[in-house]
Structures are given as C-alpha cells and as structure tokens.
C-alpha cells in the first residue's frame, strides 16, 4: 500500500490554491469545477509521491482541523528561509526536549535545530490560511527500511 492523497478541509478554495501553489510552490495537478458546490483541486509537493486534494464538497471536516501533516526536507534551516522568503509564516527550527519525535502543539519545544543535527530530530511549523497545521522535518539519513 502507498499513501496517495491527503484531503484537506479548507474554507476558500481559491485562497488555498494560491497558498499551496504560489507560496509553497506545490505543483497544480488538477482543478476540476464539476458543478455548483463540487470542485476538486489537487496539488503535489515537489518530489512527493503523495498529493493533496481540497475543494468544495470533498470534506465534511471543519476547515483548519488537519494537524501534524509532515513535509520532509534535507536542510531545515534552508527550508525555513525559503518559506519565509515566500511569505509563509513559519517558526524557527526547533527540536523536542526528549530528542525524539515532537510533542503535540508547542509543548517541549527547544529553540534551534537538534544539537547534533540528528536525522529526524529537527522541525519547524507553519499553517495554511485556514489553520491546517504542517510540520517540516529534517531527514538527512533514512532509518533502515524507510
């Protein structure tokens, strides 16, 4: 099995499309206005095999209710700089006080990338215009089998 699509709940499809394509630089794969109240927009992060779909009539979830969506980057500091340069409000890099995967919300965050820049250990966060929460995670060397 492969994860192919993640559906995001948004309140304004055109605003979301602009954010994901212009500000984040995701590829626009499709924009299908099927009929009144049903529109499908699909975007894909650069280099990703998994796409994101949002639109009208594609989710009953509350706009902004998605959390913990991860985008993997090779250099957390460069990724933060690039997104900030595109006008995205992104946190500074952080790591978790435990040195493991980050806690929910902002709990146990320590400012700065992981002290040893351990793969899987550095993060940054941002949200789309509706508040759907994204995490950047730095992975430089994948764990075996991944």
């Amino acid at each position: 099995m492969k994860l192919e699509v993640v559906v995001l709940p948004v309140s304004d499809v055109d605003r979301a499309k602009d954010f994901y394509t212009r500000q984040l630089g995701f590829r626009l794969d499709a924009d299908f206005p099927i009929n009144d109240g049903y529109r499908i927009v699909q975007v894909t992060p650069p280099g990703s095999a998994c796409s994101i779909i949002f639109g009208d009539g594609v989710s009953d979830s509350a706009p902004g209710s998605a959390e913990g969506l991860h985008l993997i980057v090779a250099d957390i500091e460069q990724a933060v700089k690039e997104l900030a340069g595109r006008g995205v409000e992104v946190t500074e890099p952080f790591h978790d006080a435990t040195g493991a995967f980050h806690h929910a919300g902002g709990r146990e965050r320590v400012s700065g990338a992981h002290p040893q820049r351990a793969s899987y250990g550095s993060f940054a966060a941002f949200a789309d215009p509706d508040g759907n929460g994204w995490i950047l995670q730095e992975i430089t060397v994948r764990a075996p089998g991944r």
Side-chain angles (χ1 to χ4, degrees):
M1 290 185 223
K2 293 182 181 180
L3 181 61
E4 184 79 15
V5 171
V6 173
V7 177
L8 286 183
V10 302
S11 61
D12 183 320
V13 179
D14 289 319
R15 180 180 69 177
K17 179 180 170 183
D18 183 62
F19 177 78
Y20 284 100
T21 59
R22 188 181 59 78
Q23 285 193 271
L24 293 184
F26 288 12
R27 180 185 72 227
L28 177 63
D29 299 322
D31 186 347
F32 298 119
I34 307 298
N35 59 39
D36 190 36
Y38 189 48
R39 177 180 174 193
I40 305 162
V41 176
Q42 180 174 315
V43 297
T44 302
S48 180
C50 183
S51 297
I52 293 129
I53 287 180
F54 52 85
D56 291 322
V58 299
S59 177
D60 286 331
S61 296
S65 61
E67 292 186 23
L69 302 160
H70 281 63
L71 293 169
I72 304 309
V73 299
D75 183 326
I76 195 72
E77 292 170 350
Q78 179 61 35
V80 166
K81 183 178 176 182
E82 181 180 325
L83 288 182
R86 291 173 170 257
V88 177
E89 289 186 33
V90 58
T91 69
E92 292 298 319
F94 64 88
H95 62 282
D96 193 82
T98 64
F101 190 76
H102 61 85
H103 282 76
R107 294 187 310 276
E108 302 292 329
R109 285 186 182 177
V110 178
S111 183
H114 188 278
Q116 289 80 40
R117 290 300 282 268
S119 198
Y120 298 91
S122 298
F123 307 92
F126 69 92
D128 73 9
D130 282 294
N132 292 305
W134 289 88
I135 298 287
L136 300 175
Q137 183 178 24
E138 182 179 79
I139 298 178
T140 54
V141 177
R142 289 212 170 261
R146 299 206 175 30

